Amino acid sequence: RERAVPLTPAEARILIDAMLLKTNVSDLKTGDALLAEQPGKIDVLLVNADGGVVEVIKFDAKTGRMEKDERRTLRKLLPRPDKAEHYNRKFDTNQMTLLANAMVIQFGNGDLKLGDIAQTPRGTYTATVINQTGDIVREMELSSVTGRPIS
């Protein structure tokens, strides 16, 4: 399905940054995110610590998704998640903002954006999703351990 507003290079970079954060990868980071030579495509450079390009990840701007082959290649580059370690770490406010932004980009169809995000006394985070006019669409509580909504 096509997005109402095409994905931008900055949004594609946020999606990759969030994926690297969730998988706890420290030796890879995102480089430049550029419009590709092909119309409607976005290239995000995945680089190592020395700045050398490891992989070019292609997104379709109309759908906001990675190309299928790119997803497989990226999964091979990323380590398998350690389930025990997954619940031992806690995301800070900047990291939670990145993860919440990625969630809104991924599921928002291009017409939503992240409003405020704040930590609660319980240690979770509340995030407000707004539309382009600034109206609140949804408020959700996010886990600081998993970065996902709490139902």
Side-chain angles (χ1 to χ4, degrees), residues 51-62:
V53 176
V54 175
E55 188 69 35
V56 177
I57 302 164
K58 294 190 179 301
F59 280 87
D60 183 344
K62 291 178 184 173

Side-chain angles (χ1 to χ4, degrees), residues 119-134:
Q119 191 168 14
T120 65
R122 292 182 1 170
T124 60
Y125 287 84
T126 56
T128 306
V129 179
I130 58 175
N131 61 15
Q132 298 297 334
T133 60

Side-chain angles (χ1 to χ4, degrees), residues 65-136:
R65 298 191 179 270
M66 271 187 267
E67 302 286 321
K68 285 185 181 181
D69 293 339
E70 300 297 331
R71 278 187 264 159
R72 283 189 208 106
T73 303
L74 191 57
R75 281 192 197 124
K76 290 178 184 176
L77 286 173
L78 300 177
R80 305 259 315 147
D82 182 10
K83 293 189 188 251
E85 183 63 31
H86 180 73
Y87 295 105
N88 288 337
R89 69 178 213 200
K90 205 168 184 165
F91 295 115
D92 63 25
T93 304
N94 290 335
Q95 293 169 328
M96 286 301 297
T97 302
L98 175 69
L99 293 172
N101 246 330
M103 233 184 313
V104 171
I105 291 167
Q106 190 173 12
F107 300 114
N109 201 20
D111 53 356
L112 301 177
K113 58 185 176 179
L114 183 65
D116 295 331
I117 187 163
Q119 191 168 14
T120 65
R122 292 182 1 170
T124 60
Y125 287 84
T126 56
T128 306
V129 179
I130 58 175
N131 61 15
Q132 298 297 334
T133 60
D135 299 328
I136 295 175

Side-chain angles (χ1 to χ4, degrees), residues 19-81:
M19 187 180 300
L20 294 174
L21 177 62
K22 285 201 66 123
T23 55
N24 205 17
V25 174
S26 59
D27 57 338
L28 296 174
K29 60 182 179 179
T30 54
D32 292 331
L34 317 156
L35 290 173
E37 292 177 2
Q38 294 174 285
K41 303 290 182 194
I42 297 171
D43 290 342
V44 179
L45 304 179
L46 193 61
V47 298
N48 59 19
D50 299 329
V53 176
V54 175
E55 188 69 35
V56 177
I57 302 164
K58 294 190 179 301
F59 280 87
D60 183 344
K62 291 178 184 173
T63 63
R65 298 191 179 270
M66 271 187 267
E67 302 286 321
K68 285 185 181 181
D69 293 339
E70 300 297 331
R71 278 187 264 159
R72 283 189 208 106
T73 303
L74 191 57
R75 281 192 197 124
K76 290 178 184 176
L77 286 173
L78 300 177
R80 305 259 315 147

